[in-house]
Amino acid sequence: MNQTKYIFVTGGVTSSLGKGIIAASLAKLLQARGYRTTIQKFDPYLNVDPGTLNPYEHGECYVTDDGAETDLDLGHYERFLDVPTSQANNVTTGRIYLSVIEKERRGEFLGKTVQVVPHITNEIKDRMQLLGQSGDYDIVITEIGGTVGDIESLPYIESVRQLVWDLGENNAIVIHLTLVPYLAAAGELKTKPTQHSVKALMESGIKADILVCRTEHEISNDIRAKLALFCNVKREAVIQSIDASTIYEVPNLMLEEGLDVVALRKLDLPKKAAPDLKHWNTFLKRIKSPKHTVNIGLVGKYVEMQDCYKSILEAFIHAGAANETKVNVISIHSEYIDEINVAEKFKDLDAVLVAPGFGERGIEGKIAAVRYVRENKIPFFGICLGMQMSVIEYSRNVLGLTEANSTEMNPETKNPVVNLMESQKTVTDKGGTMRLGAWKCEIKPDTLAYKIYGQTTISERHRHRYEYNNEYLDALQNAGLKASGINPDTGLVEIVEVEDHPFFIGVQYHPEYKSTVVNPHPLFVNFVAAAVKTRKK
Ligand code: GLN
């Protein structure tokens, strides 16, 4: 197949309808039918990437192998498809403007007035086709962030209109995701918001080919017929997306509704084989009928908002399925943990994960948490800041360096067991300047890490500025905190572990970004297994 086909997904009525999950589910079905499919997201905000955003604003920042700091929807794409994404899969308005303005400064538009139409829209169109032109994909699904009608979304909507016109109706289609709310007082599902949102889309020159309607109740045939008539789509193109108990059920729901078949028909593509979802359905069965249950504490400071730890929560679902175990993740605010209340707070926990994070708030609680689980032999898993906290805890309570700290928290500390790399010391810009993306790590034999990975060379994704300070390596190792994984290029310690403990491991990188349905991450799988093994009955 030479012509890459494009599917655009827009959203109407309200945000948070789950465009990312619908896009990922459709992609999953198309992939399972044998189409090489990828998904990209265009976000309408002016940050060049979400790396500088507070997690409370936009949820977790997801990191790709090539070191792009991206929207958390890319995590869903990878978890569903098991295909890595890259910087090209996430573009923001900030990035578009930056590149147009840089071109203007270089004189690439010399003599011309640079305008939203055509310069910004052309830049958007070029980027929308970048992955398609790589030759790696038969179908590219593009999710447009925001809601139709927003001022910010206009250049994207106009670019989609032009692309459908340029490429032809059978090569580019639009799926519009809307809400069909249920009014309890009237006891009815209401179609008007959807009608208005489709009208707003039409005013911008776009005719939706498929409507995906989010709903809490079954949409009757009458309502489907009404939506089709008033929104100008075929009856078969009104797709119901009813609330599901897990996001991993959505591909099957979309299959039942025929979303993939309708999309393929519009794109003039053959159905090929029925989607092969055997592995996916085994996974679903396992999460629905677990044999065991464990309670795992997630110690962090962003616990009020689930999206801040999205990839960790999903990695627990994958690892739970692998262990036929339901993992109850109990969020515990690190700011409210101390040496005195920790025993009470952790009394029902089978294992504890100390989460990534930035800044001083809540770190003493994380250190108290690590001490408690180390001394009480409760399985522990520290990620990034969580690993750094385990280094500080060990230095303070085992090595006796009572003031040990990270220079992130106390630049004047006498014992900077975690500090800035030399190359970070001159960095002043905050955006895109951390140690980002995939780095190699060599694992030492006869370690827990080796037992878990079963190989000596691994590659994992990073997002941090501070590092284990090698000046303390000998002292810490002699005292029992083993450095079991080392970056072969820089000598930086990437994994620490404590022997004589059921499971105590800290990693400087973010394994959660690489956990997928098909490939649950071995660290999470083994951590959950350890919790099952040592759990309180
Ligand atoms: N704040 C720490 C650092 O920058 C850890 C970052 C993280 O947990 N992602 O090194």
Side-chain angles (χ1 to χ4, degrees):
M1 194 169 86
N2 332 330
Q3 169 71 53
T4 304
K5 305 275 183 165
Y6 291 87
I7 300 175
F8 296 96
V9 181
T10 58
V13 183
T14 167
S15 58
S16 305
L17 288 181
K19 274 190 301 247
I21 301 297
I22 294 295
S25 299
L26 174 59
K28 180 78 223 167
L29 295 177
L30 296 171
Q31 182 195 51
R33 283 187 187 273
Y35 286 101
R36 297 170 306 159
T37 309
T38 190
I39 319 175
Q40 53 188 5
K41 177 153 194 205
F42 282 65
D43 272 313
Y45 51 76
L46 282 170
N47 303 64
V48 172
D49 60 46
T52 53
L53 287 171
N54 183 325
Y56 289 122
E57 292 265 324
H58 207 67
E60 163 190 282
C61 174
Y62 186 78
V63 179
T64 58
D65 277 333
D66 67 346
E69 296 179 281
T70 71
D71 187 80
L72 58 75
D73 273 340
L74 269 75
H76 291 308
Y77 307 163
E78 289 203 14
R79 287 187 281 272
F80 275 52
L81 299 182
D82 199 42
V83 175
T85 54
S86 68
Q87 180 65 72
N89 295 77
N90 191 200
V91 177
T92 68
T93 298
R95 191 170 291 278
I96 299 281
Y97 271 78
L98 186 65
S99 108
V100 170
I101 290 168
E102 280 170 355
K103 284 181 186 166
E104 185 274 337
R105 291 290 82 184
R106 286 199 297 272
E108 286 185 29
F109 310 115
L110 218 50
K112 292 271 187 284
T113 308
V114 181
Q115 293 177 295
V116 173
V117 182
H119 300 95
I120 294 295
T121 48
N122 282 348
E123 183 73 26
I124 294 173
K125 282 163 63 182
D126 287 350
R127 288 190 182 241
M128 280 177 169
Q129 295 176 93
L130 214 58
L131 286 168
Q133 285 159 350
S134 69
D136 294 338
Y137 303 104
D138 305 316
I139 301 173
V140 176
I141 301 179
T142 305
E143 180 190 345
I144 309 291
T147 307
V148 168
D150 294 348
I151 293 175
E152 292 88 359
S153 302
L154 281 175
Y156 291 116
I157 297 295
E158 168 61 11
S159 304
V160 171
R161 184 194 71 73
Q162 291 185 17
L163 265 181
V164 174
W165 189 87
D166 289 343
L167 296 166
E169 279 181 6
N170 294 328
N171 296 320
I173 61 168
V174 176
I175 297 179
H176 190 54
L177 179 64
T178 75
L179 177 70
V180 178
Y182 180 76
L183 280 196
E188 273 178 23
L189 286 169
K190 291 295 185 189
T191 63
K192 197 73 86 186
T194 297
Q195 294 182 43
H196 280 298
S197 145
V198 168
K199 199 168 149 205
L201 205 55
M202 280 188 189
E203 278 165 9
S204 306
I206 293 180
K207 181 187 156 333
D209 296 283
I210 300 173
L211 276 187
V212 176
C213 305
R214 292 283 290 112
T215 175
E216 290 171 4
H217 297 270
E218 290 283 339
I219 302 181
S220 68
N221 283 337
D222 285 353
I223 292 183
R224 287 178 192 241
K226 185 172 168 187
L227 280 165
L229 178 66
F230 290 124
C231 299
N232 207 22
V233 298
K234 292 238 167 68
R235 168 65 187 73
E236 57 165 25
V238 177
I239 305 289
Q240 160 183 289
S241 169
I242 198 156
D243 285 358
S245 58
T246 151
I247 54 170
Y248 297 106
E249 198 140 33
V250 181
N252 281 319
L253 293 177
M254 292 302 103
L255 181 66
E256 277 166 31
E257 287 284 310
L259 175 61
D260 55 334
V261 173
V262 178
L264 288 172
R265 196 172 300 144
K266 300 245 171 217
L267 291 170
D268 250 348
L269 290 174
K271 279 198 265 182
K272 292 198 185 174
D276 177 4
L277 293 172
K278 222 169 91 209
H279 184 283
W280 188 271
N281 288 332
T282 308
F283 162 79
L284 258 184
K285 221 163 82 204
R286 284 175 158 230
I287 52 179
K288 284 191 171 162
S289 44
K291 294 194 177 132
H292 325 280
T293 303
V294 289
N295 295 326
I296 298 190
L298 171 63
V299 174
K301 67 172 172 180
Y302 308 116
V303 291
E304 303 89 339
M305 195 179 152
Q306 290 282 306
D307 273 0
C308 297
Y309 298 116
K310 194 82 210 162
S311 293
I312 291 177
L313 297 177
E314 299 303 324
F316 273 129
I317 294 176
H318 311 154
N323 284 287
E324 296 185 82
T325 297
K326 164 137 184 51
V327 180
N328 286 327
V329 179
I330 318 240
S331 299
I332 301 179
H333 205 305
S334 50
E335 255 187 305
Y336 308 127
I337 300 176
D338 57 39
E339 296 261 351
I340 295 162
N341 67 17
V342 63
E344 173 60 22
K345 283 197 187 277
F346 286 10
K347 71 177 190 317
D348 296 325
L349 300 181
D350 302 307
V352 170
L353 184 146
V354 177
F358 293 84
E360 212 190 335
R361 188 164 67 92
I363 69 137
E364 292 303 327
K366 286 186 170 171
I367 294 169
V370 181
R371 177 176 197 169
Y372 183 81
V373 296
R374 182 177 58 76
E375 292 180 346
N376 290 281
K377 307 234 185 285
I378 296 168
F380 162 79
F381 185 11
I383 298 182
C384 207
L385 185 68
M387 174 266 202
Q388 296 174 355
M389 293 303 111
S390 72
V391 174
I392 295 171
E393 189 279 321
Y394 215 83
S395 306
R396 287 186 188 176
N397 301 322
V398 180
L399 273 188
L401 306 173
T402 49
E403 288 174 47
N405 214 332
S406 161
T407 52
E408 178 181 6
M409 318 307 165
N410 177 8
E412 311 302 331
T413 175
K414 263 207 317 230
N415 295 113
V417 292
V418 175
N419 71 354
L420 274 188
M421 258 189 313
E422 221 31 62
S423 59
Q424 279 285 339
K425 289 189 177 152
T426 48
V427 171
T428 50
D429 280 7
K430 292 277 185 255
T433 56
M434 285 189 252
R435 174 145 85 101
L436 289 167
W439 289 81
K440 268 208 193 116
C441 170
E442 293 292 338
I443 296 183
K444 294 191 186 143
D446 294 329
T447 59
L448 175 61
Y450 184 77
K451 232 185 270 160
I452 290 172
Y453 280 97
Q455 60 195 69
T456 47
T457 305
I458 57 162
S459 167
E460 293 279 4
R461 300 180 193 172
H462 291 248
R463 181 172 187 252
H464 54 100
R465 238 177 257 290
Y466 294 82
E467 306 281 354
Y468 179 112
N469 183 350
N470 271 334
E471 280 178 28
Y472 294 87
L473 178 64
D474 288 343
L476 280 165
Q477 294 224 91
N478 292 337
L481 187 69
K482 301 278 174 241
S484 53
I486 309 282
N487 181 318
D489 305 318
T490 58
L492 290 167
V493 173
E494 312 281 40
I495 311 177
V496 294
E497 54 188 72
V498 171
E499 287 171 346
D500 194 26
H501 190 285
F503 190 102
F504 187 106
I505 197 158
V507 297
Q508 184 57 82
Y509 48 81
H510 291 266
E512 70 274 24
Y513 294 144
K514 284 182 72 166
S515 186
T516 69
V517 168
V518 174
N519 279 309
H521 197 287
L523 275 167
F524 279 88
V525 173
N526 281 273
F527 179 50
V528 172
V532 173
K533 207 163 142 200
T534 60
R535 78 185 189 278
K536 304 171 180 117
K537 297 287 175 301

